[in-house]
Amino acid sequence: MNYPNGKQRVSMKQISQTFSNRGMTLEEDINMTNQYYLDMDLAVIHKKPTPVQIVNVNYPKRSAAVITEAYFKQASTTDYNGLYRNRHIDFEAKETKNKTSFPLANIHDHQIKHMESIVSHGGICFMIIRFALHNETYYLSADKLFLHWYEKQRDGRKSIPYNLIKQEGHEIPFNYQKRVDYLSIIDQLYF
Amino acid sequence: MNYPNGKQRVSMKQISQTFSNRGMTLEEDINMTNQYYLDMDLAVIHKKPTPVQIVNVNYPKRSAAVITEAYFKQASTTDYNGLYRNRHIDFEAKETKNKTSFPLANIHDHQIKHMESIVSHGGICFMIIRFALHNETYYLSADKLFLHWYEKQRDGRKSIPYNLIKQEGHEIPFNYQKRVDYLSIIDQLYF
């Protein structure tokens, strides 16, 4: 829902997803991995900033400007993108505490549309899914995700079973410096 | 300068640059152009959200969460990126009211470093520069920008003369729907 002034209403549920399900740990691990890729000059991949609608800013003398009123906006794309071996990389990352399935409510329709555009224009597009309680992190390519998404639309299915992700996805190796070494999977699949 | 809590101090000068020199008009024109490219399924190119360090959020009952304290952070990359004809696209856009030159103070060292990484990993990287008072908008490829940047480091030069940009750059055509049709320049240069 959009307010007339361009603010977007974000529900309590979305906020709590932002700060819990979405998993700071996975995000931190991916950020560290991306920093390692950057430091080693392997790839240039960044997390996009959280989109915020700024409404009011104070400019105190001799100190930093303070944003005193702002609202969360829903992201219209995925969280991460960049460049690796001449290819455009684009992905979303989600963590779940569910043991048996990954809830599709974590993904929005406009994100799927965005991922479809990326695939059709020649980008490498995927999802990183962490099952926190199994301590396992998977790479699921966008085309596999789309199939589950359309099943959801058709049959009302609300999640992807853990076993299917294990089967269709690729487990991402953990390494002290490359905590979510997804480029190793891309190397296998594309190069 | 970084505060211990991760806040970054942004000076009054930076703020005023953000809201004036940086040119909302050019930004709006580019956003409209990107939306047109997206609607026509020509390319997937977005502006990244403004990076903000969120310090405090209020959660009023039955309404949207309000960010009540946040600070601007300096961007470590460029403002725009995306995908066109299988190629990664990355650029920065700046507007100036100067008639005779483009001030290099508009660009930061880490942005140049970022652009160098993009070029070395195979992306298409450039700068869009608008001379507001001439009502002209130029595409300047990253490698040309780098030469001027190193001259600045070496000789202390503070700007790129308008005439050089006219000579080394490519004027971007204006079109009612594609207000800054930079893909037409990329087509000429790369395809």
Side-chain angles (χ1 to χ4, degrees):
Chain A
M1 168 188 170
N2 283 312
Y3 289 159
N5 60 358
K7 286 188 227 171
Q8 203 168 12
R9 186 170 177 145
V10 175
S11 71
M12 289 301 291
K13 202 177 148 209
Q14 283 172 307
I15 295 298
S16 78
Q17 276 178 357
T18 305
F19 289 113
S20 63
N21 299 2
R22 210 157 139 241
M24 293 316 283
T25 315
L26 177 59
E27 184 178 319
E28 281 166 3
D29 282 354
I30 292 175
N31 288 346
M32 276 185 66
T33 305
N34 287 342
Q35 189 60 51
Y36 177 87
Y37 291 156
L38 198 62
D39 292 345
M40 295 294 120
D41 198 26
L42 294 170
V44 190
I45 299 164
H46 290 276
K47 183 177 187 297
K48 292 180 205 163
T50 304
V52 154
Q53 176 77 34
I54 298 167
V55 175
N56 202 30
V57 184
N58 271 358
Y59 301 93
K61 276 189 185 163
R62 295 177 182 283
S63 66
V66 190
I67 298 163
T68 54
E69 187 186 354
Y71 297 87
F72 292 101
K73 291 197 289 184
Q74 206 172 72
S76 56
T77 64
T78 46
D79 270 356
Y80 302 86
N81 78 2
L83 179 58
Y84 176 57
R85 297 175 77 170
N86 302 337
R87 298 291 299 270
H88 181 81
I89 304 293
D90 189 295
F91 65 98
E92 185 64 35
K94 298 282 185 200
E95 194 164 9
T96 182
K97 284 176 180 152
N98 197 310
K99 276 187 169 179
T100 55
S101 67
F102 172 73
L104 285 165
N106 278 332
I107 310 165
H108 302 289
D109 197 42
H110 50 259
Q111 289 180 315
I112 297 287
K113 285 211 179 71
H114 169 76
M115 294 173 99
E116 286 175 333
S117 297
I118 294 295
V119 170
S120 82
H121 288 279
I124 295 176
C125 192
F126 56 96
M127 183 136 190
I128 294 179
I129 298 172
R130 174 172 287 177
F131 287 95
L133 300 181
H134 294 294
N135 201 21
E136 290 169 357
T137 307
Y138 290 90
Y139 175 111
L140 187 69
S141 65
D143 52 337
K144 302 250 165 71
L145 176 66
F146 298 156
L147 294 177
H148 292 290
W149 185 259
Y150 293 122
E151 251 177 62
K152 178 199 168 212
Q153 310 286 74
R154 211 176 49 233
D155 309 337
R157 242 184 53 189
K158 292 200 168 49
S159 60
I160 312 175
Y162 166 70
N163 283 334
L164 273 185
I165 290 174
K166 223 175 152 65
Q167 204 177 298
E168 297 175 357
H170 301 265
E171 192 173 349
I172 300 176
F174 175 89
N175 177 299
Y176 182 70
Q177 285 179 298
K178 298 174 280 182
R179 302 177 73 83
V180 189
D181 187 15
Y182 57 89
L183 291 187
S184 66
I185 308 293
I186 293 178
D187 282 337
Q188 281 173 45
L189 297 177
Y190 291 90
F191 296 105
Chain B
M1 169 187 169
N2 283 311
Y3 289 160
N5 61 358
K7 286 187 225 171
Q8 203 168 10
R9 185 168 177 146
V10 175
S11 70
M12 289 302 289
K13 201 177 149 209
Q14 283 172 310
I15 295 298
S16 79
Q17 276 179 356
T18 304
F19 289 111
S20 63
N21 297 3
R22 209 158 138 243
M24 293 315 283
T25 315
L26 177 59
E27 183 179 320
E28 281 167 3
D29 281 356
I30 293 174
N31 287 346
M32 276 186 67
T33 306
N34 287 342
Q35 188 61 50
Y36 177 87
Y37 291 157
L38 197 61
D39 292 344
M40 296 294 120
D41 198 24
L42 294 170
V44 190
I45 299 164
H46 289 278
K47 183 177 186 297
K48 292 178 205 163
T50 305
V52 153
Q53 177 77 34
I54 297 167
V55 176
N56 202 29
V57 184
N58 272 359
Y59 301 93
K61 276 189 183 162
R62 296 177 181 282
S63 66
V66 190
I67 298 163
T68 54
E69 187 186 353
Y71 297 86
F72 292 100
K73 290 198 290 186
Q74 205 171 71
S76 56
T77 64
T78 46
D79 270 356
Y80 301 86
N81 79 1
L83 178 59
Y84 176 57
R85 295 175 77 169
N86 301 336
R87 298 291 299 270
H88 182 81
I89 304 294
D90 190 296
F91 65 97
E92 185 64 35
K94 298 282 183 199
E95 195 165 8
T96 181
K97 284 175 178 151
N98 197 308
K99 277 187 170 180
T100 55
S101 67
F102 173 72
L104 286 165
N106 278 333
I107 310 166
H108 302 290
D109 197 42
H110 50 259
Q111 289 181 314
I112 297 287
K113 286 211 178 68
H114 169 76
M115 294 173 100
E116 287 175 333
S117 297
I118 294 295
V119 170
S120 81
H121 288 279
I124 295 176
C125 192
F126 56 96
M127 183 135 191
I128 294 179
I129 298 172
R130 174 172 287 177
F131 287 94
L133 300 181
H134 293 295
N135 200 20
E136 289 170 356
T137 306
Y138 290 90
Y139 175 110
L140 186 69
S141 66
D143 52 337
K144 302 252 164 71
L145 176 67
F146 298 156
L147 294 177
H148 292 291
W149 185 259
Y150 292 123
E151 253 177 62
K152 178 199 169 211
Q153 312 286 75
R154 210 178 49 232
D155 310 336
R157 241 184 53 191
K158 292 198 167 52
S159 60
I160 312 175
Y162 166 70
N163 282 335
L164 273 184
I165 290 173
K166 222 176 154 66
Q167 204 177 298
E168 297 177 355
H170 302 265
E171 192 173 351
I172 301 176
F174 175 89
N175 176 299
Y176 183 69
Q177 285 180 297
K178 299 174 280 182
R179 302 177 73 82
V180 189
D181 187 14
Y182 58 90
L183 291 187
S184 67
I185 308 292
I186 293 178
D187 283 337
Q188 282 172 45
L189 297 177
Y190 291 91
F191 297 104

